[in-house]
Amino acid sequence: MKIKEIIVVEGKDDTTAIKRAIDADTIETNGSAVTMETIAQIELAQKTRGVIIFTDPDYPGQKIRQTIARHVPDCKHAFITKEAALHKHGRGVGVEHASPEEIRRALKDAHHMMDDAKEIITKDDLMNAGLVGGPRAKERREKLGKLLKIGYTNGKQLHKRLQMFQITEAAFSAAIQVIQQEEKDE
């Protein structure tokens, strides 16, 4: 599988994992302090081939993703779950620990974000679905992020991410139904 876009990752180990999974070129940020030189490389890559941002499912990875998205709009975003990114011996979370199958799936499901997107899912919808402010809210957000392929977020970020990815009311409702059914079956 060859990917046209250039994939932005955090480091060399991520590049190695990507190349085990697919034929692709990468740009490494070398940590969360993304330099303007790296931003310039990503801007050029976006203009010439397109970019997929694929960072670790943790706070530093989210910070890198936000920094790049702020400077280079219209990039695609690929997400991997924390479970898929766990080291087999529990020592760390990262793209480098994911299986080739998980990496291919995440890249296949990459999304565009839209900053000026209109509100489809309201904050009240999130409250009614038990995604914020309830005893199982975090668990439900994790499941929702996996089902919609938008990654995990805290309660504040979820509303914004649903808007940016323009998740439809139908897709949101279907995911909530799956989560509710899983909870009934427990």
Side-chain angles (χ1 to χ4, degrees), residues 26-130:
T26 62
I27 294 174
E28 297 164 3
T29 65
N30 297 312
S32 58
V34 183
T35 67
M36 289 315 293
E37 183 179 324
T38 302
I39 293 292
Q41 287 177 350
I42 296 168
E43 285 175 332
L44 179 60
Q46 177 64 5
K47 287 177 189 166
T48 58
R49 291 177 49 192
V51 166
I52 299 174
I53 302 171
F54 193 20
T55 56
D56 296 345
D58 57 10
Y59 177 77
Q62 182 62 24
K63 184 178 174 203
I64 293 166
R65 184 182 299 278
Q66 289 172 336
T67 299
I68 296 167
R70 189 172 52 251
H71 290 282
V72 188
D74 293 330
C75 293
K76 287 183 180 177
H77 294 260
F79 295 94
I80 195 163
T81 64
K82 276 194 175 178
E83 297 81 31
L86 279 174
H87 185 276
K88 59 185 168 195
H89 299 295
R91 288 184 235 137
V93 172
V95 170
E96 72 267 20
H97 304 305
S99 71
E101 294 79 25
E102 283 291 335
I103 290 171
R104 285 191 289 269
R105 182 208 51 78
L107 292 169
K108 181 175 106 2
D109 294 335
H111 297 280
H112 274 103
M113 280 191 183
M114 297 175 65
D115 280 334
D116 57 350
K118 67 181 181 107
E119 181 180 61
I120 297 171
I121 312 299
T122 67
K123 290 181 181 178
D124 284 344
D125 293 332
L126 301 182
M127 290 286 283
N128 293 336

Side-chain angles (χ1 to χ4, degrees), residues 129-143 179 182-184 186:
L131 295 166
V132 289
R136 297 183 77 179
K138 179 180 180 183
E139 180 186 338
R140 288 182 182 134
R141 287 192 308 273
E142 287 173 350
K143 289 178 181 179
I179 292 167
E182 286 177 2
E183 289 175 353
K184 284 181 187 174
E186 290 176 353

